[in-house]
Amino acid sequence: MENIKDLGFESKLVHAGDFKDEFGSAVTPIYQTSTFSFKNAQHGADCFAGEADGYIYTRVGNPTIDALENKLAALENGYRGIAFSSGMSAVSGVYMTFLHQGAHMVATGAIYGASRAIVSSHFQKFGVEATFVDTANLAEIEKSIRPNTKLLYIETPANPTITLTDIAGAAEIAHKHGIPLVVDNTFSSPYLQRPLDLGADVVLHSLTKFINGHADIVGGALIAKTPELHAELVKTRNYLGGNMDPTQAYMVIRGAKTLAIRVERAQENAMKVAQFLENHPKVDWIKYPGLTSFDQHELAKKQMFGFGAMMSFGVKGGFEAGKTVMDNVQLAKLAVSLGGVETLIQHPASMTHAAMQPEERMQAGITDDLVRYAIGIESVEDIIHDIDQALAKI
Ligand code: LCS
């Protein structure tokens, strides 16, 4: 095959990272083993010294997991991926690698609830401080950087407000201050946004979402831009032990092959659903990057290849009315998570972002009336009919 780097994105989805075994297996097999035997004592010593090829132990490397890591690197145009047991394990890996006692980080205020809550629940006790700001406003980032700031961490579009951050602008600020920019790309997937090409240093994914795409595993990954960053991050993963399981990796590889066609259909549906909600008399407000009424529509066009399948909205009558909608949908599942083939709806203030303090939620724009809607690949008429009949119950 030609050099994988020269192939189109969809070809990379299908082929990049493939592990070629001696039987010519059409797909990368599951190497469900915890350990690997050495040819002899010298080979074992050489593997440990990094002077010989060979797998040692699945926490630090496994052919199925390698295949996924190489696929992710090809998709994000990075040096190499690092697979984790969950998205949160990847988030902790970032914090553990870049922050030390007395260090400070600047991050998007509206990020996944646990990515924010873990700072106060665990990292503060090591003397780590964080300033959460509206990173849509680059001046806020610049203003928050201190001499001890060691990390700029953004999520765009942000969970659950859908607020965007200008990745290239954020990278410029980070690099001016000599710190890395880490971008959580979960909401877009590499099909719609490639942060490393825009100047980011590390990309983070909850693979649980669009990349696996079938709501049947939990997983996470980091993709490092350079060998140096990869070496630091993989060391954290290997010592902390947040590795992925080979079967999990196999599932993600299988799901990733159809990422483009799933996201394409989901965002086509999302655009129609958003237009329907925008014109619905019971809908108070809606945020979807594809709408021209979205205040960052131009930035979305600039840094994304499409508008995605995630939206948030509020209905007239606030939280109580939103509850009625969530209690009455029939096709959509009332569930957290996102990025699967099925449409999901949930209430961040009481679910995904409940771990944040109420004042933190307010500051981040996660209002009590905000309903998050993750659009799937069902027939769009059915999704619209479903939300329409639920809105009629208010
Ligand atoms: N980053 C983002 C943007 C997320 O949405 C999530 C999970 C994570 C990281 C953590 O990944 P996990 O460990 O769950 O694989 N978001 C969820 C959500 O919105 N609903 O349920 C989980």
Side-chain angles (χ1 to χ4, degrees), residues 48-237:
F48 268 86
E51 287 163 6
D53 284 339
Y55 288 97
I56 298 174
Y57 185 58
T58 284
R59 173 158 52 73
V60 301
N62 173 291
T64 316
I65 299 169
D66 273 9
L68 172 63
E69 293 179 338
N70 288 325
K71 188 186 288 294
L72 294 172
L75 300 178
E76 290 282 6
N77 296 330
Y79 166 70
R80 178 70 199 249
I82 307 159
F84 286 81
S85 56
S86 68
M88 277 315 297
S89 181
V91 173
S92 329
V94 165
Y95 296 170
M96 289 296 282
T97 302
F98 295 117
L99 303 172
H100 56 75
Q101 190 176 30
H104 171 252
M105 71 183 244
V106 176
T108 308
I111 52 175
Y112 173 56
S115 306
R116 183 164 170 160
I118 193 180
V119 177
S120 50
S121 71
H122 284 76
F123 284 86
Q124 258 174 18
K125 70 183 175 197
F126 302 119
V128 166
E129 284 186 298
T131 306
F132 293 99
V133 296
D134 178 10
T135 52
N137 181 353
L138 294 177
E140 289 278 318
I141 301 178
E142 181 73 62
K143 217 168 62 190
S144 309
I145 300 219
R146 305 178 190 168
N148 60 338
T149 304
K150 296 293 175 199
L151 171 66
L152 176 56
Y153 183 93
I154 64 172
E155 207 179 279
T156 177
N159 183 359
T161 58
I162 320 293
T163 306
L164 309 185
T165 298
D166 181 335
I167 298 171
E172 204 175 305
I173 297 173
H175 297 156
K176 190 173 88 185
H177 294 278
I179 59 171
L181 171 67
V182 177
V183 180
D184 186 331
N185 200 25
T186 298
F187 265 39
S188 295
S189 87
Y191 181 61
L192 297 182
Q193 179 169 275
R194 279 165 229 146
L196 298 182
D197 290 349
L198 300 171
D201 301 286
V202 178
V203 166
L204 185 147
H205 280 287
S206 166
L207 299 171
T208 317
K209 312 299 182 320
F210 289 99
I211 294 182
N212 178 60
H214 293 77
D216 49 10
I217 63 101
V218 168
L222 299 174
I223 299 97
K225 188 172 196 157
T226 64
E228 294 73 24
L229 283 167
H230 173 262
E232 278 188 67
L233 292 162
V234 82
K235 196 163 71 181
T236 308
R237 194 271 315 264

Side-chain angles (χ1 to χ4, degrees), residues 290-306:
L291 295 174
T292 50
S293 61
F294 183 72
D295 57 353
Q296 296 174 299
H297 182 62
E298 290 308 314
L299 177 58
K301 282 202 288 193
K302 190 176 105 185
Q303 72 180 13
M304 299 168 75
F305 308 118

Side-chain angles (χ1 to χ4, degrees), residues 26 35 46 73 113 130 201 217 306-307 340 352:
T35 196
D46 290 345
D201 301 286
I217 63 101
F307 303 120
T352 47

